[in-house]
Amino acid sequence: MAVSNLAMGSAEISEIVAGLSADQKQISPKYFYDERGSQLFDQITQLPEYYLTNTELGIMRDNIDEMFAMVGKQASLIEFGSGSSLKTRILLEHVSELAAYVPVDISSEHLHASAQQIREQFPHVDVLPVVADFTQAFALPKPTVMPVRNIIYFPGSTIGNFEHDMAVDLLRVMYQEAGKGGALLIGVDLQKDADIIESAYNDSAGVTAEFNLNMLQHLNRDYGANFDVDEFAHSANYDEDKGRVVLELVSQADQSFAVGDTAFDIADGEAILTEYSHKYTLDGFASMASTAGLSVEKVWMDAKQLFSVQFLTRL
Ligand code: AVJ
């Protein structure tokens, strides 16, 4: 079992080794999400300091009728990333007469389990899961009912994980998948007081620290690494100039570790970058979207303007 896991992960191992060989050691945030990491992320979304999820949910609840009016009837709702969230359920409950719901995820197991749950809860919805890496163009399934338009749904400010050029590339894939007459509904976290942002990534219960450190456990378990997890510490800082949170794992000693056959040295105080979480201004996001051929038609926010849900159409 462990051996076949390693064999299946050889492309990933090369990617991990390349990231750790760079001047700034780094590991992609996608390695947060093994089973334990997904559980920890669910816990994060319920932390009092982590304003993102609850604020976005509130924005959805408060504006769902207006959102439905913009989506229209007989649309195909295409969700980039996991399709089991509460936000998706709010949409499916209120957006009646959907032609189809198409969750797109790279993890087939997770995707099919959540698709099945959605089918049970919404038996009238044509649920057509697609296993794909959504950063690349992929083929859309043909629903039984011909959709009037495609709506790409990308909640959670996951767009914030991508640096500017990669975010534009991803928005271009969405533009393309939306097709003629298509639109995007996307959750976008906003720039705000640095203390609010830093607390969201340095919670008092230490869940985010555990989430960050779990990445090393995940690599030890599934990718033949041998990190001494106790010798690393969680760090999260908001870089106000760049408008992004930088998550790192900081080495607590001069030490070495290996990933598969490749050995690495890391100095005391040296960091491994694990995640960027970009925060946007409304103008900054609109200009990034326009580079990808998209125009912001509508922005919904909470009263404190912490978070936004935005409706974008093709220019
Ligand atoms: C799922 C990428 C939106 O950036 O806030 C939460 C991930 N990292 N706490 C975020 C995360 C640390 C989250 N995203």
Side-chain angles (χ1 to χ4, degrees):
M1 187 61 189
V3 172
S4 78
N5 267 346
L6 286 179
M8 282 194 307
S10 61
E12 282 89 350
I13 291 177
S14 316
E15 180 192 46
I16 294 163
V17 165
L20 290 168
S21 307
D23 279 348
Q24 166 64 73
K25 291 184 173 63
Q26 49 194 290
I27 308 169
S28 162
K30 71 182 175 200
Y31 295 102
F32 282 136
Y33 302 98
D34 64 345
E35 207 180 324
R36 177 78 186 128
S38 301
Q39 282 170 0
L40 287 165
F41 181 69
D42 282 347
Q43 286 181 37
I44 287 174
T45 65
Q46 287 163 39
L47 293 168
E49 297 97 333
Y50 194 75
Y51 61 86
L52 287 81
T53 311
N54 276 330
T55 309
E56 185 174 21
L57 270 169
I59 297 168
M60 300 293 294
R61 289 200 176 102
D62 290 347
N63 300 284
I64 193 70
D65 292 340
E66 213 180 346
M67 288 180 190
F68 174 39
M70 294 193 79
V71 167
K73 291 190 172 169
Q74 302 299 347
S76 177
L77 186 70
I78 301 158
E79 181 166 355
F80 277 42
S82 152
S84 57
S85 73
L86 202 48
K87 286 162 259 174
T88 308
R89 281 155 205 276
I90 296 178
L91 267 180
L92 292 176
E93 270 164 27
H94 291 88
V95 175
S96 56
E97 294 185 48
L98 269 185
Y101 170 61
V102 182
V104 184
D105 204 289
I106 196 147
S107 148
S108 145
E109 207 178 327
H110 177 71
L111 180 70
H112 288 106
S114 65
Q116 195 47 40
Q117 278 181 12
I118 299 276
R119 277 190 196 104
E120 280 159 21
Q121 202 184 341
F122 303 96
H124 56 286
V125 178
D126 194 7
V127 182
L128 302 167
V130 175
V131 179
D133 169 4
F134 62 62
T135 62
Q136 314 289 322
F138 56 91
L140 286 171
K142 288 243 179 307
T144 321
V145 175
M146 175 70 178
V148 170
R149 69 194 310 202
N150 290 331
I151 302 289
I152 310 294
Y153 185 46
F154 195 42
S157 202
T158 303
I159 187 79
N161 269 180
F162 298 84
E163 286 183 78
H164 182 274
D165 292 1
M166 296 293 281
V168 169
D169 286 349
L170 180 55
L171 289 169
R172 282 208 180 98
V173 172
M174 294 184 181
Y175 172 97
Q176 204 176 319
E177 299 294 337
K180 201 162 169 281
L184 269 67
L185 187 63
I186 180 167
V188 178
D189 196 16
L190 300 174
Q191 293 185 7
K192 62 185 70 67
D193 187 71
D195 291 343
I196 299 178
I197 297 178
E198 288 199 336
S199 322
Y201 296 85
N202 291 287
D203 62 280
S204 55
V207 183
T208 308
E210 211 182 320
F211 173 75
N212 198 5
L213 287 159
N214 176 66
M215 185 187 271
L216 301 182
Q217 312 268 26
H218 180 201
L219 266 52
N220 286 353
R221 281 189 291 256
D222 292 340
Y223 296 100
N226 69 349
F227 290 100
D228 184 349
V229 180
D230 294 339
E231 291 294 322
F232 288 86
H234 163 74
S235 158
N237 291 294
Y238 181 52
D239 179 339
E240 265 184 281
D241 292 336
K242 297 211 163 90
R244 66 190 182 194
V245 175
V246 181
L247 242 76
E248 295 173 322
L249 291 165
V250 182
S251 180
Q252 301 300 292
D254 291 326
Q255 55 179 325
S256 31
F257 59 85
V259 179
D261 299 331
T262 314
F264 298 92
D265 293 321
I266 189 164
D268 190 3
E270 188 182 345
I272 301 173
L273 170 67
T274 53
E275 182 175 52
Y276 288 132
S277 185
H278 290 81
K279 311 301 170 191
Y280 304 91
T281 60
L282 293 181
D283 285 349
F285 190 77
S287 98
M288 195 168 84
S290 84
T291 310
L294 293 158
S295 106
V296 176
E297 291 292 299
K298 177 80 195 173
V299 178
W300 295 279
M301 288 182 285
D302 55 299
K304 291 185 195 151
Q305 309 200 341
L306 297 175
F307 197 92
S308 66
V309 177
Q310 308 201 14
F311 192 85
L312 278 59
T313 52
R314 290 167 42 122
L315 274 172

